[in-house]
Amino acid sequence: QVQPVESGGGLVQPGGSLRLACRNSGGTFSNVMAWFRQAPGKEREFVAYIYWGGGNKYYADSVKGRFTISKDNAENTAYLQMNSLVPEDTAVYYCAARVNRLALSGVRSPENYYYWGQGTQVTVSA
């Protein structure tokens, strides 16, 4: 199966940086991995996407230019480097994955991801 496991969350001041990691601890290869986030009382929000084979990336407008998603093939791990953090980035960040390829038009929809991690808390506060 595919089993995403997130790590790297924590407390950071505005303008600071964090790097999240999502390791696929299962034995099945995932073609697509993505990051979502959810603040209390809000909908789960797409953050970033990466296609494993070609390395294609896509970002939400709210994080474009500040966040970078990357992958390590040998470690079966996707990373989310978060720079210039602002309080609005505060949320639980979830790693999502699916085995099959996904069209770019569908990457923002949580329903298209079949495997989810437990989440890691990111808090941006002075």
Side-chain angles (χ1 to χ4, degrees):
Q1 66 173 28
V2 176
Q3 180 58 65
V5 179
E6 306 99 332
S7 62
L11 174 65
V12 64
Q13 65 184 23
S17 298
L18 284 174
R19 189 179 76 156
L20 307 183
C22 174
R23 180 174 62 87
N24 178 8
S25 63
T28 302
F29 177 79
S30 176
N31 276 297
V32 174
M33 298 185 75
W35 289 95
F36 288 77
R37 65 188 183 185
Q38 189 166 22
K42 294 188 176 182
E43 296 285 329
R44 189 161 296 191
E45 176 190 20
F46 169 78
V47 176
Y49 149 98
I50 187 166
Y51 168 58
W52 210 261
N56 304 293
K57 304 172 183 179
Y58 186 71
Y59 300 93
D61 289 341
S62 59
V63 306
K64 195 175 300 181
R66 300 188 297 120
F67 291 10
T68 302
I69 190 170
S70 61
K71 63 184 179 71
D72 185 320
N73 293 342
E75 298 295 329
N76 297 124
T77 299
Y79 299 94
L80 185 68
Q81 178 67 46
M82 305 185 294
N83 298 325
S84 302
L85 286 162
V86 295
E88 290 75 18
D89 296 318
T90 296
V92 177
Y93 283 69
Y94 296 93
C95 182
R98 58 178 278 144
V99 174
N100 296 330
R101 297 178 181 180
L102 181 64
L104 185 60
S105 60
V107 301
R108 294 177 175 269
S109 299
E111 292 77 13
N112 289 329
Y113 298 86
Y114 309 130
Y115 303 94
W116 293 84
Q118 295 298 308
T120 185
Q121 177 71 48
V122 172
T123 302
V124 185
S125 179

